[in-house]
Amino acid sequence: MKKFAKKFIVANVIGLVASVVAVAYDVDQPRQTTPPASAGQVASAQLQQAVNGNWRSEKNKARDPYRHPAQTLGFFGIRPDMTVIEIWPSGGWFTEIIAPFLNANGHYIGAVPTGSKSKVALENKFRFDQAHFGNAKLVEFDDKAPNLGPDGSADMVLTFRNVHNWAADGNAEVMFKAFYKVLKPGGVLGVEDHRADKGKTLDQVVNTGYLPTDYVIKLATDAGFKLDGQSEINANPKDNHDHPKGVWTLPPTYELGEQDKAKYAAIGESDRMTLRFVKPSTAK
């Protein structure tokens, strides 16, 4: 046998042995797999999927850079197996995210004031998109004497840009007491609202839509909650809180119409407080 042929055979034998050894090694020593995702990571991914959902309107998605939905809901600690009550969802901006996020394993309840014009629109949204809103429901409440459901029945209560309305109407205290009653011990209250300058009193700003942060905190703590966290997720340093038509001067309302619209568009949506409260686990 010629020398080059012997070399060829030897090389092939060596290659075959190496392949067998590699296969054997793979069988005996399996490669390390990626560690399983934690429950928090899974919930965060599902929440982002809901934020990215193609069922959301493009008009609503355009406001994401101002409203920071994934970060805000993540700060509140929402999970897909919770029973969550959203207070006064109005046009359903957050509803489009929260209800689908909870649809498979949790419960979404939108609490609307009796006679609310938005109730029919939300009911239609739920009815015509069962895949994303099939398990969502609405309840009505009297905002002078609110009853949001059985005591201790909710894991989380959320309210976005509503406290200033109750403050102006004089029923903020009873609303916070109702939040406390419907939550389970250990349940979370998440509040987002327009933030006034430090040192301002409620009387000074109540007609502007902005609220003192310490006023909102006192509403919650007087009702029995403990402040569990504050976030700057929805802060806007461009907003000086001083506008001709209050917070409604800014987008998306543009109360002044075309007057100085570019100026207010450049400011963006309002500077807002984002507060997380907890009902004590020892509460009865």
Side-chain angles (χ1 to χ4, degrees):
M1 184 181 295
K2 294 183 179 180
K3 187 181 291 185
F4 77 88
K6 289 182 179 180
K7 288 182 178 180
F8 179 81
I9 294 171
V10 170
N12 276 276
V13 170
I14 292 172
L16 179 60
V17 171
S19 297
V20 172
V21 169
V23 171
Y25 182 83
D26 280 351
V27 172
D28 294 338
Q29 303 289 335
R31 293 185 179 89
Q32 294 297 313
T33 58
T34 302
S38 67
Q41 290 171 324
V42 171
S44 179
Q46 291 176 339
L47 181 57
Q48 191 60 56
Q49 287 176 354
V51 170
N52 296 339
N54 59 12
W55 58 87
R56 295 185 64 210
S57 72
E58 292 304 315
K59 181 179 178 181
N60 284 349
K61 283 186 176 183
R63 296 179 65 193
D64 286 0
Y66 301 114
R67 304 206 69 175
H68 314 105
Q71 298 94 321
T72 299
L73 293 170
F75 171 72
F76 291 147
I78 196 169
R79 299 191 312 272
D81 60 346
M82 283 181 161
T83 295
V84 177
I85 302 176
E86 183 188 4
I87 308 298
W88 208 346
S90 190
W93 195 94
F94 264 102
T95 308
E96 279 192 348
I97 298 168
I98 301 170
F101 175 71
L102 300 172
N103 199 49
N105 299 302
H107 297 93
Y108 171 88
I109 301 167
V112 298
T114 302
S116 171
K117 295 179 181 179
S118 64
K119 183 172 183 286
V120 173
L122 288 172
E123 286 176 335
N124 288 336
K125 180 187 291 287
F126 297 169
R127 184 180 304 112
F128 292 117
D129 189 353
Q130 291 286 307
H132 300 110
F133 301 95
N135 291 324
K137 71 174 186 177
L138 299 176
V139 297
E140 289 186 303
F141 67 92
D142 175 358
D143 57 5
K144 303 297 182 185
N147 181 349
L148 302 173
D151 291 359
S153 59
D155 298 296
M156 180 175 282
V157 169
L158 299 175
T159 184
F160 304 96
R161 306 186 186 202
N162 291 316
V163 182
H164 64 276
N165 294 309
W166 303 322
D169 291 342
N171 54 10
E173 291 83 0
V174 295
M175 290 300 300
F176 275 76
K177 289 176 181 177
F179 303 159
Y180 189 86
K181 284 188 67 178
V182 79
L183 278 168
K184 300 174 182 177
V188 172
L189 167 64
V191 178
E192 179 212 317
D193 217 312
H194 313 292
R195 174 168 55 188
D197 288 329
K198 282 187 177 181
K200 293 288 187 180
T201 66
L202 178 63
D203 289 342
Q204 289 174 316
V205 298
V206 69
N207 293 321
T208 69
Y210 293 97
L211 290 175
T213 301
D214 55 0
Y215 163 76
V216 179
I217 292 174
K218 189 173 188 302
L219 282 173
T221 54
D222 283 355
F225 290 101
K226 290 186 177 181
L227 179 64
D228 189 54
Q230 303 185 57
S231 174
E232 292 298 297
I233 293 167
N234 293 301
N236 181 359
K238 294 180 182 180
D239 180 10
N240 67 4
H241 313 143
D242 183 15
H243 312 296
K245 295 290 185 178
V247 72
W248 301 282
T249 310
L250 299 175
T253 308
Y254 291 114
E255 190 69 21
L256 294 178
E258 294 302 314
Q259 179 183 336
D260 293 325
K261 188 172 184 178
K263 169 186 170 181
Y264 296 118
I267 293 172
E269 297 195 23
S270 68
D271 175 53
R272 300 183 303 284
M273 67 186 88
T274 307
L275 308 173
R276 183 179 65 239
F277 300 94
V278 173
K279 180 174 180 176
S281 57
T282 55
K284 295 181 180 179

